[in-house]
Amino acid sequence: MRFYFSFAIKLKKFLKIYDNKNNSISAIKEIFGGKFGKAKNILIEEFLVGEEMSFFIVSDGINVKNFGTAQDHKRVLEGDKGKNTGGMGAYSPVPLYESQKEKIDETIIQPLADALKEGRFSYKGVLFIGILVDNDIPYVLEFNARFGDPEAQTILPRLKSDIVPALIACTEGTLDQISLDWEDSFSLCVVACGDSYPQSSSRDKEIAIGQLSEEAKLFHAGTKKTSDKLLTNGGRVLAVVGTGDSFETASESAYRNIEKVNFEGMDYRKDIGWRVRSKCQSI
Ligand code: GLY
């Protein structure tokens, strides 16, 4: 049991992880001593270490369908170092899912589907489940009632079916009549941000975009258009997604195409997909 030796404190935007008993006890004393105002209750969560993945489902309130997996790279610097961000890049599908499929289905998805069917829980739309696999056990970190980026940008280029009928079916309770078909492909997304992200955003720098190759997609995030220019207007400015028949070709496309984009101070991680690029050609 690791409950006693580590816990996370979540107060609005403040998240701190304590990984030993003495620090944890000092932190509890600080909390009840009024450091963050008057405290009555605290939530102590098990400290988990492992590989994270984002798992998506869609639901019409009765039926659920899997909507793919992606692995986000949250840290700003290569080697998964530096500050946390909204996501510096991602890849899809996640090979880790293959080894965890049955456990995820049995312990997370099926109980959710049963709760929906039995009316114990009501939800229609896209559900983004943050999963962490620790010691070969998948844990739910969070449920988000939305798509997430860069995950959605990475997953959607692999969807062969039209997404609109699926979303309408979510609202009408007819998801069981819809089939979702996926490309037998791999995708990798690289996010371009300003060089001081995540401390500050990039503003009003002119963006130049060259001719991207056909298999690549470019998604705008923090951009704005004036009458004749495209300008930066946010932290994560845009993302380039490459697809291919392996992670190597997808990443080669994403990195070749992001070079066709430019703005002053543009930065991006060069190691997106490091877990899969060198070892995993097919799953
Ligand atoms: N990329 C993580 C999120 O959208 O929450």
Side-chain angles (χ1 to χ4, degrees), residues 4 10 12 25 34 51-52 68 71 81 86 88 97 115-116 120 122 147 180 188 195 208 229 231 261:
Y4 297 111
K10 211 169 189 174
K12 293 190 181 147
I25 290 171
E51 198 176 328
E52 222 179 308
Q71 191 170 74
K81 298 204 167 72
M88 297 298 293
Y97 172 61
L116 278 169
R120 288 185 280 120
S122 161
F147 268 131
L180 290 171
L188 188 133
D195 52 10
K229 284 183 185 150
L231 303 174
V261 177

Side-chain angles (χ1 to χ4, degrees), residues 2 6 17 45-50 132 134 137 139-141:
R2 289 168 291 167
S6 52
I17 307 224
E45 294 183 329
E46 186 173 3
F47 184 69
L48 300 170
V49 184
L132 189 136
D134 182 354
I137 302 173
Y139 292 85
V140 172
L141 294 182

Side-chain angles (χ1 to χ4, degrees), residues 130-168:
I131 293 175
L132 189 136
V133 180
D134 182 354
N135 266 325
D136 214 28
I137 302 173
Y139 292 85
V140 172
L141 294 182
E142 58 186 6
F143 287 103
N144 294 302
R146 58 172 173 85
F147 268 131
D149 279 327
E151 289 96 326
Q153 295 165 338
T154 316
I155 288 174
L156 287 173
R158 298 184 45 250
L159 179 64
K160 256 203 266 189
S161 315
D162 186 350
I163 191 172
V164 176
L167 296 179
I168 292 172

Side-chain angles (χ1 to χ4, degrees), residues 8-282:
I9 301 178
K10 211 169 189 174
L11 284 169
K12 293 190 181 147
K13 285 192 157 178
F14 178 76
L15 171 70
K16 192 143 177 76
I17 307 224
Y18 292 92
D19 58 2
N20 70 59
K21 188 176 177 180
N22 288 340
N23 288 347
S24 301
I25 290 171
S26 312
I28 290 171
K29 285 183 178 156
E30 279 182 348
I31 293 170
F32 286 114
K35 182 163 181 183
F36 305 103
K38 196 168 182 312
K40 274 205 272 183
N41 303 302
I42 59 170
L43 175 66
I44 298 177
E45 294 183 329
E46 186 173 3
F47 184 69
L48 300 170
V49 184
E51 198 176 328
E52 222 179 308
M53 81 172 116
S54 305
F55 186 92
F56 292 81
I57 59 172
V58 284
S59 167
D60 64 0
I62 307 156
N63 307 287
V64 299
K65 273 193 198 294
N66 289 359
F67 204 82
T69 56
Q71 191 170 74
D72 186 9
H73 294 53
K74 293 219 168 63
R75 302 288 182 151
V76 71
L77 301 176
E78 275 139 42
D80 291 331
K81 298 204 167 72
K83 291 204 151 99
N84 242 347
T85 71
M88 297 298 293
Y91 61 86
S92 174
V94 183
L96 175 68
Y97 172 61
E98 293 304 308
S99 64
Q100 300 297 322
K101 210 177 193 157
E102 278 161 28
K103 279 177 266 177
I104 289 176
D105 196 45
E106 189 187 324
T107 62
I108 303 171
I109 308 305
Q110 199 51 52
L112 194 71
D114 292 345
L116 278 169
K117 275 215 165 79
E118 292 159 15
R120 288 185 280 120
F121 168 69
S122 161
Y123 187 75
K124 289 182 178 180
V126 177
L127 202 57
F128 161 176
I129 311 171
I131 293 175
L132 189 136
V133 180
D134 182 354
N135 266 325
D136 214 28
I137 302 173
Y139 292 85
V140 172
L141 294 182
E142 58 186 6
F143 287 103
N144 294 302
R146 58 172 173 85
F147 268 131
D149 279 327
E151 289 96 326
Q153 295 165 338
T154 316
I155 288 174
L156 287 173
R158 298 184 45 250
L159 179 64
K160 256 203 266 189
S161 315
D162 186 350
I163 191 172
V164 176
L167 296 179
I168 292 172
C170 283
T171 68
E172 293 180 343
T174 52
L175 199 56
D176 54 336
Q177 293 164 35
I178 296 281
S179 89
L180 290 171
D181 298 319
W182 296 89
E183 298 285 354
D184 193 14
S185 67
F186 298 77
S187 64
L188 188 133
C189 170
V190 182
V191 170
C193 57
D195 52 10
S196 51
Y197 178 73
Q199 287 90 333
S200 61
S201 299
S202 173
R203 302 268 174 222
D204 298 323
K205 307 285 183 220
E206 189 167 349
I207 305 170
I209 302 176
Q211 183 66 44
L212 268 64
S213 41
E214 214 167 290
E215 81 287 356
K217 300 239 177 310
L218 182 133
F219 291 95
H220 290 247
T223 65
K224 71 177 175 194
K225 215 166 171 247
T226 61
S227 55
D228 59 342
K229 284 183 185 150
L230 185 66
L231 303 174
T232 62
N233 191 34
R236 289 178 296 160
V237 175
L238 36 80
V240 174
V241 181
T243 51
D245 57 9
S246 69
F247 282 121
E248 294 300 335
T249 51
S251 96
E252 191 275 324
S253 162
Y255 280 106
R256 180 164 35 83
N257 283 290
I258 203 164
E259 303 248 309
K260 298 183 182 156
V261 177
N262 190 41
F263 56 87
E264 193 188 315
M266 175 172 137
D267 210 356
Y268 58 89
R269 271 182 62 166
K270 315 292 182 300
D271 66 342
I272 300 300
W274 61 268
R275 276 197 171 90
V276 290
R277 262 156 71 181
S278 54
K279 64 177 187 206
C280 185
Q281 296 297 311
S282 61

